[in-house]
Amino acid sequence: VDLHSTEVFRSPSTIPDQLWETVLDVAFRDSNFFVIPPSRSLTYSETQLEKLGMLDTCRALTADRPLAQDQLQALASNQAIAKMHYDVMPRLISDEQFWQTLLWRLEVLRKCTSISQLLDVYELITTEANIGEPRQKLMGVDNKSYCEEMRARVSEVQGGLEWLSGKQSTVIEGLRNATGSCQLLNTFVSKEEKTELSDSVFESCKYHKSKIASLIGDLEANGAKLQNTDLDPQNGERYLELLQLNEELNRSIQAYTGIKAPGSQTVVASTPSGDVPDQAVVAAAADGEDFSAKLPWDDEDE
């Protein structure tokens, strides 16, 4: 279902699109959703709907009214709805009643304020109170399997959304903390300043770089679950921010490493003009070692 193609499929404002899509996917395979008239649903479920705070809403939407042309086109273009229309019309319901009943149930569900309320309301307005054989016109069947499937799939999707939300929170926090440390280290680098404070920031940046690299690896390992989200390793906005920050941290860490500590200096042994200083001697000088030249016989025993 393309939730954004038309108003008729739009999800309730308080229910995530992923949950609404799951509900519609099951509902459009449940013939009771199309066949049982609203009046019969209300007759058998008034008390329960009132407890859920939905009775007045259901009643207000029961008035028969013609569908707008754009609504009818949007509904008829859906393959699942078209198949159900072919299966039940006119054997179980007239063409006009089919579309009005479908629109009524969609509008009722869209008035729900939570997914738990929606699932309860769905069962109430699609349950057939008088199941009989053979099936009569405008009569439903036992749709318990659809209600159970809907609850199970919604629960699974909710778990995935909670997992995604946790990942997003971790990434956002990691970006915020690492960005702050990186900016501070860049300040020290621009001043070529090395102090106890700057060293502490330097260590913090190394820690955050390790964390960012770990987050990147985690997202790439879970790429299949993150498709079309801001954490998608293909082109997710947050994922690209992690890559960019990881590179920036690397540059800042390398730049700070090249800054000399206060009071340090490189001592170069005197060499004939034009000669290149011995690098081993320069290194020894930096370590404070005695790098004065020795003659071979200085170490011989007298």
Side-chain angles (χ1 to χ4, degrees), residues 37 66 73 98 108 125 127 129 135 140 190 220 241 251 255 300-301:
Q73 289 178 348
F98 178 91
V108 167
I125 64 175
T127 298
R135 187 175 185 180
S190 65
E220 290 176 347
E241 286 182 35
R251 287 193 296 268
E300 295 181 0
D301 292 330

Side-chain angles (χ1 to χ4, degrees), residues 265-282:
Q265 59 181 359
T266 301
V267 180
V268 180
S270 60
T271 59
S273 178
D275 289 353
V276 179
D278 189 314
Q279 294 303 312
V281 174
V282 174

Side-chain angles (χ1 to χ4, degrees), residues 205-254:
C205 282
K206 289 197 295 184
Y207 166 78
H208 285 303
K209 185 180 184 305
S210 175
K211 293 284 288 184
I212 293 296
S214 177
L215 284 174
I216 291 172
D218 181 46
L219 298 186
E220 290 176 347
N222 290 283
K225 298 184 192 177
L226 299 170
Q227 288 183 354
N228 302 318
T229 71
D230 58 352
L231 302 183
D232 189 342
Q234 295 299 318
N235 55 7
E237 180 181 353
R238 293 295 185 189
Y239 174 80
L240 296 178
E241 286 182 35
L242 285 174
L243 290 182
Q244 183 177 354
L245 182 55
N246 188 55
E247 293 176 359
E248 177 64 22
L249 282 166
N250 189 53
R251 287 193 296 268
S252 300
I253 290 170
Q254 289 183 352

Side-chain angles (χ1 to χ4, degrees), residues 6-9 65-76 99 103 107 110:
T6 176
E7 182 75 10
V8 73
F9 290 134
R65 59 195 185 284
L67 273 71
Q69 189 63 29
D70 62 331
Q71 290 179 320
L72 182 58
Q73 289 178 348
L75 293 172
W99 297 114
L103 184 61
E107 290 184 342
R110 283 175 53 193

Side-chain angles (χ1 to χ4, degrees), residues 17 80 82 161 220:
D17 285 353
L161 291 175
E220 290 176 347

Side-chain angles (χ1 to χ4, degrees), residues 27-271:
F28 290 169
R29 291 184 284 109
D30 180 1
S31 64
N32 286 11
F33 194 73
F34 301 84
V35 171
I36 303 175
S39 57
R40 290 190 58 246
S41 291
L42 292 178
T43 298
Y44 295 112
S45 57
E46 281 187 352
T47 302
Q48 296 95 319
L49 286 171
E50 188 171 16
K51 289 180 180 179
L52 292 173
M54 288 293 292
L55 180 58
D56 290 341
T57 298
C58 291
R59 283 174 171 168
L61 294 171
T62 55
D64 292 339
R65 59 195 185 284
L67 273 71
Q69 189 63 29
D70 62 331
Q71 290 179 320
L72 182 58
Q73 289 178 348
L75 293 172
S77 64
N78 180 276
Q79 292 184 358
I81 294 176
K83 181 180 183 304
M84 187 61 68
H85 182 266
Y86 177 83
D87 290 342
V88 303
M89 199 288 297
R91 180 172 58 91
L92 297 174
I93 193 170
S94 70
D95 182 67
E96 182 180 4
Q97 285 178 308
F98 178 91
W99 297 114
Q100 288 180 340
T101 299
L102 168 59
L103 184 61
W104 176 76
R105 285 197 167 83
L106 284 172
E107 290 184 342
V108 167
L109 294 184
R110 283 175 53 193
K111 295 293 184 180
C112 294
T113 57
S114 69
I115 190 62
S116 60
Q117 182 190 51
L118 185 151
L119 293 173
D120 290 341
V121 169
Y122 181 89
E123 289 192 17
L124 291 174
I125 64 175
T126 61
T127 298
E128 175 56 70
N130 297 315
I131 298 174
E133 293 291 345
R135 187 175 185 180
Q136 302 296 313
K137 199 165 188 174
L138 302 180
M139 299 286 285
V141 293
D142 183 357
N143 72 333
K144 183 178 179 181
S145 62
Y146 289 110
C147 294
E148 290 177 346
E149 178 189 350
M150 185 178 291
R151 287 186 179 276
R153 289 183 56 189
V154 162
S155 178
E156 182 180 357
V157 173
Q158 279 183 307
L161 291 175
E162 291 172 2
W163 175 84
L164 175 61
S165 178
K167 291 290 183 186
Q168 289 171 324
S169 297
T170 300
V171 167
I172 291 172
E173 182 180 5
L175 285 168
R176 182 176 62 249
N177 293 338
T179 298
S181 293
C182 188
Q183 290 174 343
L184 188 54
L185 185 62
N186 285 338
T187 300
F188 290 117
V189 169
S190 65
K191 298 178 180 179
E192 295 189 356
E193 182 179 336
K194 256 192 177 180
T195 64
E196 288 186 7
L197 175 58
S198 66
D199 285 344
S200 176
V201 175
F202 172 67
E203 293 300 324
S204 176
C205 282
K206 289 197 295 184
Y207 166 78
H208 285 303
K209 185 180 184 305
S210 175
K211 293 284 288 184
I212 293 296
S214 177
L215 284 174
I216 291 172
D218 181 46
L219 298 186
E220 290 176 347
N222 290 283
K225 298 184 192 177
L226 299 170
Q227 288 183 354
N228 302 318
T229 71
D230 58 352
L231 302 183
D232 189 342
Q234 295 299 318
N235 55 7
E237 180 181 353
R238 293 295 185 189
Y239 174 80
L240 296 178
E241 286 182 35
L242 285 174
L243 290 182
Q244 183 177 354
L245 182 55
N246 188 55
E247 293 176 359
E248 177 64 22
L249 282 166
N250 189 53
R251 287 193 296 268
S252 300
I253 290 170
Q254 289 183 352
Y256 185 79
T257 303
I259 299 176
K260 298 175 184 178
S264 65
Q265 59 181 359
T266 301
V267 180
V268 180
S270 60
T271 59

